[in-house]
Amino acid sequence: MRRAELVLAKVAASQAGLVRREDAAARRVSDRELDHLVELGLLEVVHTGVYRHVAVPFDGRTRLLAAVWGAGAVAVASHRSAARLWELRDVPRWRPEVTVAGRSRRSPTRVTVHRTDRLEPIDITTSDGIPVTTVPRTLLDLGAVTDPPVVRQATQDAVIRGLVAPEDLLCVLERLGRRGRRGTAALREVLEAASLDARLESRL
């Protein structure tokens, strides 16, 4: 049991204090040993198959990564959580928010889960070790859950800081911004109001 404790403590130290059941299995820690560490109070169940080492504070980063892992294999931080991870201005706090692709039906407690059939590799990256939507996709999704002024401020902040170019936003609109999709109108209004060059204006 001592070996299991040391092995999983090392794993947790490299993963924001978190351990997944598959992490334990990959290191030959049995389910029985894992469950015993939970009984001893050394590990705390956060979501199904996701545990926190009690020596590590349960801060915002740990909570968000746990939410992503708890939502399924193809899940990423998104919407307000992604915007705050990118440190975009004036985005309100919210409980962990993730987007899930495919047929996963996991719904972690105290997590807002969005489901989609359009989560492509071009829309996914990592920030601070957390799978997250790219800045263009984040800004598009943000319009589905916040007011236009929030999207406008966040977009201006992202452009000024060099996190995204207007062309990137136009591309994500052309690829995913179908009529009726939530978030499309807010981002389109931001681009139309911006002082873009004539080529971009004509394409809009």
Side-chain angles (χ1 to χ4, degrees), residues 60 63-65 67-68 76-88 91-99 110-112 114 127 130-133 138 142 145-146:
R63 190 182 303 276
L64 182 55
L65 182 57
V68 170
V76 295
S78 64
H79 296 72
R80 283 159 289 206
S81 288
R84 292 188 66 84
L85 195 58
W86 292 118
E87 299 181 343
L88 300 180
V91 176
R93 290 185 179 277
W94 195 255
R95 63 184 182 179
E97 200 163 11
V98 303
T99 289
R110 298 181 297 279
V111 175
T112 298
H114 303 272
S127 177
I130 301 175
V132 62
T133 50
T138 296
L142 192 60
V145 294
T146 63

Side-chain angles (χ1 to χ4, degrees), residues 96-113:
E97 200 163 11
V98 303
T99 289
V100 178
R103 298 181 178 276
S104 174
R105 286 296 177 264
R106 291 190 192 178
S107 294
T109 57
R110 298 181 297 279
V111 175
T112 298
V113 178

Side-chain angles (χ1 to χ4, degrees), residues 7 11 13 19 23 39 48-49 58 74 92 103 144-145 148 175 190 195:
V7 166
V11 172
V19 176
D23 296 325
E39 292 173 3
T48 301
F58 200 22
V74 187
R103 298 181 178 276
V145 294
R175 190 163 50 83
V190 170
S195 298

Side-chain angles (χ1 to χ4, degrees), residues 12-168:
S14 67
Q15 297 183 161
L18 298 176
V19 176
R20 292 168 291 185
R21 190 170 286 273
E22 54 262 40
D23 296 325
R27 291 161 178 81
R28 294 181 296 174
V29 174
S30 68
D31 287 348
R32 181 179 178 182
E33 290 174 310
L34 184 61
D35 292 338
H36 187 58
L37 291 176
V38 173
E39 292 173 3
L40 291 175
L42 296 174
L43 294 178
E44 175 188 52
V45 178
V46 183
H47 301 298
T48 301
V50 182
Y51 308 83
R52 177 182 72 90
H53 197 288
V54 295
V56 180
F58 200 22
D59 59 15
R61 176 177 176 240
T62 301
R63 190 182 303 276
L64 182 55
L65 182 57
V68 170
W69 284 352
V74 187
V76 295
S78 64
H79 296 72
R80 283 159 289 206
S81 288
R84 292 188 66 84
L85 195 58
W86 292 118
E87 299 181 343
L88 300 180
R89 287 184 57 189
D90 297 338
V91 176
R93 290 185 179 277
W94 195 255
R95 63 184 182 179
E97 200 163 11
V98 303
T99 289
V100 178
R103 298 181 178 276
S104 174
R105 286 296 177 264
R106 291 190 192 178
S107 294
T109 57
R110 298 181 297 279
V111 175
T112 298
V113 178
H114 303 272
R115 305 189 187 280
T116 182
D117 57 357
R118 296 293 304 274
L119 187 61
E120 303 169 8
I122 194 174
D123 296 317
I124 301 173
T125 185
T126 59
S127 177
D128 199 20
I130 301 175
V132 62
T133 50
T134 60
V135 175
R137 176 63 185 262
T138 296
L139 292 168
L140 177 64
D141 291 340
L142 192 60
V145 294
T146 63
D147 296 329
V150 175
V151 180
R152 180 164 53 251
Q153 182 63 63
T155 302
Q156 291 172 352
D157 184 37
V159 171
I160 290 171
R161 291 165 52 201
L163 298 177
V164 69
E167 292 88 345
D168 300 325

